[in-house]
Every structure is written in C-alpha cells, then in structure tokens.
Amino acid sequence: MITFMLAIVFLIIGYLTYSKVVERIFGINDNDETPAYTRADGLDYVPMSWWKGSLIQLLNIAGLGPIFGAILGALYGPVAFIWIVVGCIFAGAVHDYFSGMLSLRHSGEQYPTLVGRYLGKTVRICINFISIILMILVAAAFTAGPAELIAQITPLNFMTAILIIFSYFLLAALLPVNKIIGRIYPFFGAVLIFMAVSVAIALLFTDRQIPNLTLANLHPGELPLWPLLMVTISCGAISGFHSTQSPIIARTLKKESDGRKVFYGAMIAEGVITLIWATAGMTFFGNTTGLQEALAAGGTAGVVNEISTTLLGTLGGVLAILGVIFLPITTGDTAIRSSRMMVIELLNNGFKKMKGINDKTLIMTATIIVTVPAFFLSLIDYAFLWRYVGWTNQVVATVMLWTGAMYLLKNNKPHWICSVPAMFMSAVVCMYIFYAPEGFNLNYNLALIIGSILTLTIIGWFIKQIITQRKDNEQASKVA
C-alpha cells in the first residue's frame, strides 16, 4: 500500500513542480491571441474554458487506455509503478504539453504538419500516413468491443451496433466541437475519474493486500520487461495517440497559460487513473498468475467488470458497462475527427485547386476517407488490430518528442526535457519491432543488438543537429 500511495503523491508533485519547469522552458505569453479567436470558424476553432478543455482532453486521450493497458501491464507486477510514474512525469506529460502548445503556436496545426516544420518534409510525409493509419486502427479497435457488449445486453445484433456507432462517429466528426464533444464529454470525463477514485477507495478498505514495490519481473508468461512493458502501458505513461488529439483542444484554448493545466494536467490525471487500475489488477486476484487466469477466462473487459462489481456492487456494474461501452466510443470518434483534420491538411492544396470543391465538401470527403476503412477493419479480430496499434502508437510518440527537442534546439532553449525521453523511447520502439511477434520476431538478444545500433544512429543524428545549430549561432553572433 505504501508504494501505491507514494506513487500517487509523486505524480501530484510532478504536476506541481516539473510542469512549471516545462512551461518556463517552453515560454508562454498570455498577451498573444490564441487560434480559438484568431481563426474562429464555429466548427473546430471555438473558445472553451480550461476546465472543460481539461475534461475533454482527458477523455480524448484516455478512453479505455488507462484501464485496459494498466491491467495488462499489471501482469509484470509492481515494477510497473515505476514506469507509470517516471514515464508520465518526464515523458508522457511533456509529450502532451509540446504537442498541444506547438499546435497552439502554429494556428492549431495537426501533428504531422508540426513534425514537418521541425524534422523536415520526408519525415512529415512518412508520419502523416503512419498517424492517419494509427487513427483508423484506434477507431476500429475501440469499436468492436462496445458493439459486442451492446449485442449481448440489448436486442441489437453486432452489425446493427457497429452501424449505430459509426453513424455517431460521422455526426460527431462533422458537427462543431462544442455541440457534442463540448457538451457531453466533460460528463464522461468525470465518470472516468469517479470510476477510478471509487475503485481506489474500495481497494484501500479491502482485506486484499496491495503489493509494494519489487524490481522483479513477475509476468507469468515470462515475457521480458524491456521493452514490452513500455508498449503495453502507453496511456498513463506516454502515448503517441495523445499528440493527435491535443490539437483538437489547442484550437479551443483561451490563453497560453491554460496549456499547462489542460495538456500536462490531463496526462497526470490519466497517470493516476492508470496507477489505480494497475494496482487493482495486481491486488484483486491475489497475484499476477491469478490475474492472467482471469484474463484468459473473461478477457480484459471481464476483468474490469469483475473488479468493479465486486468492489462497488451495483454502482460498479453500471460504471463498468458505461466504461466498456462509452469510453472506447469517445476515443473512436475523436480519432475519426483528428484523422479528418490530418487528411484535410494533407490534401487541402490539391482540393483547393479543383473547381467546385468548397470547405464543406472537403470536410465531408476527408471524413469518409477515414471512416470507411475504419468501419471494415472493425469487423475483423480485435486482438489482431491491437497488436499493431501498440508499436505504431509509440513510434508516433517518439517522433513527437524529437519534434519538441528540435523546436527547443532551434530556439536556443534547453532541449533535454524532450531529447532525453526521446532517446529512451527511440530505444523502446527500435528494439520492440525486432523482437515482437507482429514485428520481425527475432531472438531477444539479437533484437536488442539491432535496436541498440539503430538507437545510437538516431542519437548520432541529433548530436549532428546540435553541432549544426551551434555553428549557426556562432555565425549569427559574428554577423551581429
């Protein structure tokens, strides 16, 4: 129990202290008008209060991620606490802050466009397709589960449920952000928080023993801790999906100082939620072997339902159903919305040159482009989809951290707050893809060697950028 309580305290201290360091290094100016005012369009650029933006941001970046990912990560044991706390404070929240604030600084630009600004055209083109594919995969993966549960508890069949969900996706993606998202998402964000807090309180008063920290890998399947844990627990530590969602709220902020509360703060809140559910997974079933048996019997949704109903009774059952149905749907629809924005930025110039294509037609076309493949992918096996979501998600996160590092470097600011976690995540994704079954499925040691070489190559590239920037600064000083 001591480890659990200390971990929550560390997350809170991280927000109260390190977030201010990050904000100070980035540099804010509340005298500058935000895109919510300078580009107000009544659709995406709509001013909203910071507290509403925070709840929407939390729901957009979270969904079922900090619940499902945390429970799967709990199989590794209490060592997962370290990754959640350290990853959240020094990587995930920094990642979210820079993805949101850079978007705000550049008129609400989407993630791929921001990448292009600081990492070049070639990287932008690659990451544009990777991030759109990630959005489509997320929308598909987070639709099948709710549809299956709806089919079980209502007279509707699976296909009808899928069609209803995607009809809602289209509606939410096409309507102004303050019509559906701005009105009902703060409520579901509050439900996500209430559900986690209720479980945490129940855990503290249960007779089950909350485990304390041990550095041992307790995974019953004997899967290696590195780098699998860092991909298994993404939401709640660091997740590239967040960088695709932050521009949605960046277009609604009233002032730059709201960014710390909205972007960094929402990530810390997600870290707390992840910590609670990871603790519940480790505690409720006695040990990691018991958790693995429960997952094999009822799946992740079944584990969530069993924990909720046992600890919270009828209220827990209602919350579990709300969570398993509505939270992934809210993640899916914002994935469609953000991918629609990305497609518009990708194809905008081409469409503008075509006679008769107006803004409404462009928005509808882009929405259909991403919705149709997501619909068909939602009809195939969820487990198959999820394997590819994990690595793609962390690649997107890594590129965003390098984007932040280059922004800081080019503006002569301390880059280490982004470059150090970027190096760490580069090692994660480089080694994971060579070891994982969905990757090259190589021998573990060989995967580590190849991944290390690639990581060192990336670090070498950044060192070269540092040297080049220093030379440019020296040349500018001589000219001045």
Side-chain angles (χ1 to χ4, degrees), residues 115-231:
V115 169
R117 278 184 176 273
Y118 296 101
L119 298 183
K121 183 179 179 180
T122 302
V123 180
R124 176 181 62 80
I125 293 173
C126 294
I127 210 65
N128 226 318
F129 287 103
I130 290 174
S131 53
I132 291 173
I133 289 171
L134 173 62
M135 294 302 94
I136 292 172
L137 286 172
V138 167
F142 276 17
T143 301
E148 289 175 357
L149 185 55
I150 290 172
Q152 292 173 14
I153 64 176
T154 72
L156 302 176
N157 59 34
F158 175 77
M159 182 56 70
T160 302
I162 285 284
L163 290 171
I164 291 173
I165 292 172
F166 271 93
S167 297
Y168 164 74
F169 282 176
L170 285 171
L171 186 65
L174 294 172
L175 285 176
V177 68
N178 61 334
K179 295 300 181 182
I180 293 182
I181 292 176
R183 290 183 179 179
I184 67 172
Y185 279 29
F187 167 75
F188 285 119
V191 167
L192 180 65
I193 295 171
F194 179 77
M195 187 178 180
V197 171
S198 299
V199 169
I201 293 173
L203 281 174
L204 293 176
F205 290 95
T206 185
D207 56 356
R208 295 175 174 87
Q209 186 66 39
I210 298 177
N212 285 315
L213 180 63
T214 172
L215 298 180
N217 178 5
L218 303 181
H219 199 294
E222 297 183 351
L223 294 178
L225 188 71
W226 169 268
L228 270 61
L229 176 62
M230 290 74 193
V231 176

Side-chain angles (χ1 to χ4, degrees), residues 231-353:
V231 176
T232 303
I233 299 181
S234 53
C235 289
I238 179 172
S239 169
F241 177 71
H242 299 187
S243 63
T244 67
Q245 301 302 294
S246 293
I248 295 177
I249 304 303
R251 297 181 178 193
T252 71
L253 294 188
K254 293 182 177 181
K255 55 185 179 179
E256 290 193 355
S257 58
D258 288 343
R260 184 173 69 90
K261 293 175 282 190
V262 172
F263 300 120
Y264 200 104
M267 183 61 203
I268 292 296
E270 187 184 45
V272 172
I273 293 169
T274 304
L275 192 69
I276 291 170
W277 280 102
T279 304
M282 297 174 203
T283 305
F284 188 83
F285 299 98
N287 51 45
T288 56
T289 301
L291 173 59
Q292 186 181 53
E293 292 172 353
L295 286 168
T300 315
V303 167
V304 172
N305 184 63
E306 185 174 352
I307 292 173
S308 300
T309 53
T310 303
L311 294 180
L312 305 176
T314 303
L315 174 63
V318 172
L319 289 174
I321 291 174
L322 280 174
V324 174
I325 292 179
F326 291 107
L327 293 181
I329 289 176
T330 58
T331 300
D333 68 20
T334 51
I336 293 294
R337 190 180 190 92
S338 57
S339 58
R340 179 259 289 172
M341 293 176 179
M342 291 179 195
V343 170
I344 287 176
E345 285 192 0
L346 181 65
L347 303 178
N348 191 51
N349 291 334
F351 273 105
K352 287 295 184 183
K353 294 175 183 177

